Amino acid sequence: MTVANVFLSLLFHAGTSGQRVKVEPELASYPGQTVNLRCVCSSSLLLYADLKRAPLQVTWIYEPKDGERMNIAVFHPNFGPNYPESQMKGRVTFKPSPPELSSPSIEISNVRMTDEGRYVCEYATYPDGNEQGITQLVMLAKPLNSATAVTVNAGTQPVVVARCESKDGRPAAKIQWLTTAKGNWTETSQTGTDNTVTVTSEYRLAPTAMDNAKDLTCLVTHRTQLKDESLPLKLAIQYPPVVEIEGYDNNWYVGRTNVGLLCKANANPIPLSVDWKTMTGEMPDTVQIKENELKVLKVDSSVNTTFVCEVKNSIGATREQVTINVREPSKTESNAGVVAGAVIGSLLALLLVAALVTVLVTRSRRQQQGYRANGGSDMKTRIFGGGKKPFTVGARPEVVTGTPTAQDILLSNELDEAERRKFDEMEEDERYDHFAGGGSILQLRPPPNPDDIIGDYMDDDMESQRDGSVISRTAVYV
């Protein structure tokens, strides 16, 4: 082996120890765009081919996901570029033009979804074989997402109640559902002629009236979206009316007025009609009906029946009933009796208050009179004296002890408390002068019986006047 051959062998092995054809591992593009597939050859490979004077050419090969591989562009230094028949012919060219072995990149314009696949930049050397680099072209298509609720009737078997679709996307979208409804979903995908994918997901459950209007959200995840797309829905479950009658309080008695019943219905779609009936077929005369309201003007025995409310919609009809048990009126007084009782009660209360006031006043007066009477005997004793001397004209009065005279009583009653205290504080002579005053002096003639002066005076001498005073028939007024 010559020295030159040894050098070339070492150079070849050194070059093959690393990747000598460099490309981009992946490239993404949207339909209608232009893509550049770059390829760079290392200088070691070019030097080796030059030293060995071996022919060297570059070929771009397309490998679809499904199908046979095909050459789409070829460059030979002596023969120039060539573009074999392929789906890219007319849209693929070398860049720059004319190309160079060191960087035989290509450009594909107006790319299509069917252009997705693997692109191989391959250097062929004779007789040592081929060197290559592979780029994966990923075609992107933003899908059109939509979701719809499927209107169904309530039932016991699972049915499709909602559908979500991610149409014409690339790559295939991912779909999931968010809801409180008790169901599950299935998913299918279909690839179109342009290599786009349509993904369809269906949500299924056994629908009930309680599921109607529940929230349901379709969540679509796709590479072309910055975030997941949320598509909210509300379930549409149709069901016959659910009927309830309100208003009866089990206290409808004869004579009660302004009572009634209200027929409430929950349904989807909305009720078409509300009808009131009775089990006997005859509606009482005191009953008025307005739509879902039944009003009783006055309760009587004819209301003692069973009322039926029937509600219909396009799905079906539902009936509900309530039985009225009319009671006898409670034994309460009439309004006039109540008013009379109230008046009598008020009068009795007033009389009771008046009696209480009278008792208190009488008691107060008795206590006052008793006090004055106790002080009166002392007063009369002080005025008339305490001995039993004969009462003579011109002499100072000497009070005879015993039964007080009417004059004593009058004097004692006319003196108020202040006068009595003032009178008690006087000396005996002062009391007499105070009593006699400066006016006329009452002089008494001796009674026939000196020993019974008080009694004779009270029985024979004293005479009551119309103004309440008492005067003596025998006294001489000076």
Side-chain angles (χ1 to χ4, degrees), residues 42-346:
S42 66
S43 59
S44 61
L45 178 60
L46 296 176
L47 179 60
Y48 174 76
D50 185 58
L51 291 175
K52 288 195 67 174
R53 299 184 184 277
L56 187 66
Q57 72 175 22
V58 179
T59 303
W60 278 93
I61 305 169
Y62 169 61
E63 295 180 350
K65 183 178 180 180
D66 299 317
E68 297 181 357
R69 59 185 292 174
M70 62 187 73
N71 295 334
I72 60 174
V74 179
F75 174 68
H76 191 278
N78 297 330
F79 301 104
N82 183 45
Y83 303 100
E85 289 294 332
S86 70
Q87 67 183 42
M88 286 88 168
K89 188 172 183 178
R91 296 186 293 120
V92 58
T93 58
F94 281 101
K95 290 293 182 179
S97 182
E100 298 177 358
L101 284 176
S102 60
S103 58
S105 300
I106 62 173
E107 180 182 273
I108 303 175
S109 62
N110 192 24
V111 291
R112 304 168 185 171
M113 296 301 301
T114 54
D115 293 341
E116 185 179 73
R118 299 201 320 165
Y119 290 80
V120 181
C121 178
E122 185 177 78
Y123 280 84
T125 60
Y126 180 83
D128 297 319
N130 302 329
E131 294 283 338
Q132 65 182 21
I134 300 175
T135 297
Q136 179 72 39
L137 176 61
V138 178
M139 293 302 299
L140 300 177
K142 187 174 182 178
L144 179 62
N145 303 321
S146 62
T148 56
V150 180
T151 301
V152 298
N153 294 342
T156 58
Q157 297 300 320
V159 294
V160 176
V161 296
R163 186 175 287 109
C164 185
E165 184 180 72
S166 180
K167 186 178 181 180
D168 297 334
R170 189 71 185 183
K174 295 181 180 179
I175 296 177
Q176 58 181 329
W177 294 90
L178 304 176
T179 183
T180 58
K182 304 299 182 181
N184 51 58
W185 67 87
T186 58
E187 184 177 292
T188 59
S189 61
Q190 183 178 1
T191 302
T193 55
D194 59 351
N195 219 28
T196 58
V197 181
T198 297
V199 181
T200 303
S201 180
E202 295 178 336
Y203 195 88
R204 298 173 179 267
L205 58 77
T208 65
M210 297 297 295
D211 293 320
N212 184 52
K214 276 189 175 180
D215 293 327
L216 182 67
T217 301
C218 173
L219 202 64
V220 181
T221 303
H222 195 263
R223 180 173 176 176
T224 62
Q225 299 171 176
L226 296 177
K227 62 179 181 179
D228 295 343
E229 185 174 358
S230 179
L231 304 172
L233 299 173
K234 284 189 179 295
L235 295 179
I237 312 299
Q238 293 185 335
Y239 53 93
V242 178
V243 182
E244 181 183 5
I245 298 178
E246 297 181 353
Y248 179 55
D249 59 1
N250 201 31
N251 189 32
W252 287 22
Y253 53 85
V254 175
R256 186 176 177 181
T257 59
N258 294 325
V259 294
L261 302 175
L262 186 64
C263 183
K264 290 187 174 181
N266 180 22
N268 184 32
I270 61 175
L272 299 175
S273 64
V274 178
D275 295 326
W276 284 98
K277 302 177 182 178
T278 63
M279 296 298 289
T280 60
E282 295 182 0
M283 191 65 66
D285 295 335
T286 58
V287 170
Q288 290 182 350
I289 296 176
K290 183 179 180 181
E291 297 179 353
N292 65 330
E293 184 179 4
L294 183 149
K295 186 175 182 180
V296 180
L297 301 179
K298 188 174 183 180
V299 177
D300 56 19
S301 59
S302 65
V303 183
N304 196 58
T305 185
T306 299
F307 291 98
V308 180
C309 177
E310 183 178 59
V311 184
K312 296 179 181 179
N313 69 354
S314 59
I315 305 301
T318 305
R319 299 176 56 173
E320 185 63 26
Q321 64 185 41
V322 60
T323 300
I324 307 299
N325 294 316
V326 177
R327 302 172 179 271
E328 291 297 326
S330 58
K331 296 180 180 180
T332 57
E333 296 181 355
S334 63
N335 292 338
V338 172
V339 173
V343 172
I344 294 174
S346 300

